[in-house]
Every structure is written in C-alpha cells, then in structure tokens.
Amino acid sequence: MAALTLTASGVKKTFRALGDPAIAAHSQVFFKTARGEYGEGDKFLGIRVPVIRQQVKKFTDLAIGETLKLLCSPFHEERLFALLMLVARFSKADEVGREAIYRHYLEYTAFINHWDLVDSSASQIAGAWLQGRNKRVLRELARSDSLWERRIAIIATFHAIKLGDFGAALEISAILQQDKEDLIHKAVGWMLREIGNRDPAVEERFLKQHYREMPRTMLRYAIEKFPAEKRRAYLSGHIK
C-alpha cells in the first residue's frame, strides 16, 4: 500500500468511493438523525459495518494521530472506523500504548456520539484499561450531562462483567436508575441481564432492591430471559 494512503485523507478518499447514497438515506432514518432525535445532524456516507471492518484491516498501520483526525469527522462511518481502529490497536499495544489510547478515548468522547460508536468501543478500551484499576471516571461519566458519556459509563462495565466482576456495573446501574433517556434504560437493562446470565442471584438481589422504581424499559431488558411467570411477577410488582 502506498505510504500516501496511510493518512486520514487516504481513508476519506477510500470511503467516498465506497459510499452508497441509498444506504446513507436508510441510515439517516435508522440512526434517528432528524431534528429533535438523539442522532440529530449526523451524516452518513452509506457504508455497511462489515465493509468498514475490512478497511480497518487494510489500514492497520494508520498512525494514531491520523486515526484521531477521522474520529473528528462529521461522517458516522469514519468515526466508527476510527474507533474500531483504536480498539484493534489497543488489543495489540503494550501498557504504555494502551494507556495512551485510553487517554485519547476520554479526550474525544464528544465524537463518540451514537449508541453503535459507544457499544463498539467502550468496553474494549475504557473497560479493558480500567480492569483492576480505580473506576472513579465511570462514576463521573455516569453523572455527565452527555447521554453518550453516560452510555459509555455503563457499557464500559461489560468488560468486567465478562470476567465475573460485577461491582462497577451494579454501582453504575444504581446511579443511572432515574435517567430520563431510553437509550440508557436499554443499556442498563442489558448489562443487568448480562450479569444474570453469569450469576442470576446477583442480578435478582439488585432487582429486588430497585425494580419498583426502575424505568419499565430497563426492567424489561433486565428480565428478558427470566421464565414467563417470574417476568409477570416483576412487571406487576409482586416480587418481594
């Protein structure tokens, strides 16, 4: 690959060639970009995720600085590419490199501004770096005015959940109990369900303490895999 292509400009040129207006139009609707919606103003080139992942492999040696330029792009696919690139680099980096990527991640949260961008990167970078470390930053993000920073806070805990470490997820879930955003309700419910997949007793102890005040969507996501009778009991408020 010519050296010139290993730049943000080279990636952009490639992405313009890959874009499909029909896919872009569909994405504008699917990702709720209309005025007043949570993705308001986002722009799309019309490139599907598997194609973006292929480009990550193609531009594997793209420098971090060039990657961060793409993370500032107005186009959703270029921001997703940048985050997937950071995830790939993080997984192969040494301790110093991983910390640098983590620090960049926190510096650029303003551009990690949609649910798929968060879900593709938060646990893989923030969650992975914070494993075994102080998670105060997640508590701070959980109290942010930014919907996306709050989602980063809860999704980042998925890394620890997979390792059987549920403390941070339960703490962040408690902070977010009264959040007003549906995307947070879904994310918290999802993480609680993931805890339950590994240790049902831990999830139920949390639910019995919080389920009556919990937003309905959050509760439905959390109990999705419960037996039908138990789901009905939770939803009707008859669990003690």
Side-chain angles (χ1 to χ4, degrees):
M1 183 178 295
L4 183 61
T5 64
L6 291 177
T7 63
S9 295
V11 175
K12 289 180 179 181
K13 183 177 180 180
T14 298
F15 273 40
R16 298 306 182 277
L18 291 170
D20 182 323
I23 295 174
H26 176 268
S27 296
Q28 296 285 150
V29 176
F30 179 77
F31 285 98
K32 298 189 180 299
T33 63
R35 186 169 183 176
E37 295 183 314
Y38 56 73
E40 180 178 348
D42 207 352
K43 298 180 180 180
F44 289 81
L45 293 165
I47 308 172
R48 298 196 186 281
V49 174
V51 177
I52 297 173
R53 291 188 181 277
Q54 290 172 3
Q55 299 310 307
V56 171
K57 295 178 181 178
K58 183 181 295 186
F59 287 91
T60 184
D61 293 325
L62 188 70
I64 293 292
E66 296 300 303
T67 301
L68 294 174
K69 290 179 184 178
L70 291 163
L71 187 50
C72 300
S73 171
F75 290 103
H76 189 103
E77 294 95 337
E78 290 176 352
R79 299 199 306 283
L80 178 58
F81 168 88
L83 289 165
L84 293 176
M85 181 66 74
L86 291 175
V87 168
R89 293 287 291 270
F90 184 94
S91 68
K92 298 177 181 177
D94 60 16
E95 194 79 351
V96 173
R98 285 159 61 92
E99 182 175 11
I101 291 171
Y102 164 74
R103 299 293 178 194
H104 288 313
Y105 190 81
L106 292 185
E107 290 169 7
Y108 284 78
T109 55
F111 302 98
I112 308 169
N113 56 355
H114 219 301
W115 59 263
D116 64 319
L117 304 181
V118 173
D119 297 359
S120 297
S121 61
S123 68
Q124 298 92 327
I125 296 177
W129 175 256
L130 291 170
Q131 186 61 33
R133 295 182 171 90
N134 189 304
K135 297 178 177 60
R136 180 180 61 186
V137 66
L138 296 185
R139 296 191 290 273
E140 293 172 354
L141 290 171
R143 295 184 171 94
S144 170
D145 290 336
S146 164
L147 159 63
W148 307 116
E149 289 190 344
R150 299 199 304 277
R151 190 169 175 107
I152 287 171
I154 185 61
I155 297 299
T157 68
F158 197 10
H159 184 274
I161 290 172
K162 291 175 181 178
L163 298 175
D165 178 1
F166 309 133
L170 295 172
E171 182 178 5
I172 300 305
S173 294
I175 292 172
L176 294 172
Q177 284 301 295
Q178 299 306 315
D179 201 280
K180 303 300 183 184
E181 295 288 348
D182 186 64
L183 284 174
I184 299 299
H185 302 168
K186 292 176 179 178
V188 172
W190 172 20
M191 292 302 104
L192 291 174
R193 185 175 72 237
E194 292 293 343
I195 291 173
N197 288 343
R198 293 158 176 83
D199 193 329
V202 171
E203 182 189 10
E204 285 221 61
R205 280 199 297 272
F206 184 89
L207 289 176
K208 287 177 181 179
Q209 182 179 354
H210 296 283
Y211 85 96
R212 286 189 174 87
E213 296 78 35
M214 189 178 285
R216 204 69 165 178
T217 297
M218 188 183 295
L219 178 60
R220 287 186 181 278
Y221 269 61
I223 65 175
E224 183 178 305
K225 293 188 178 180
F226 284 14
E229 185 175 349
K230 182 175 281 188
R231 289 201 308 273
R232 287 194 293 270
Y234 269 105
L235 291 169
S236 62
H238 292 150
I239 293 287
K240 296 183 180 179

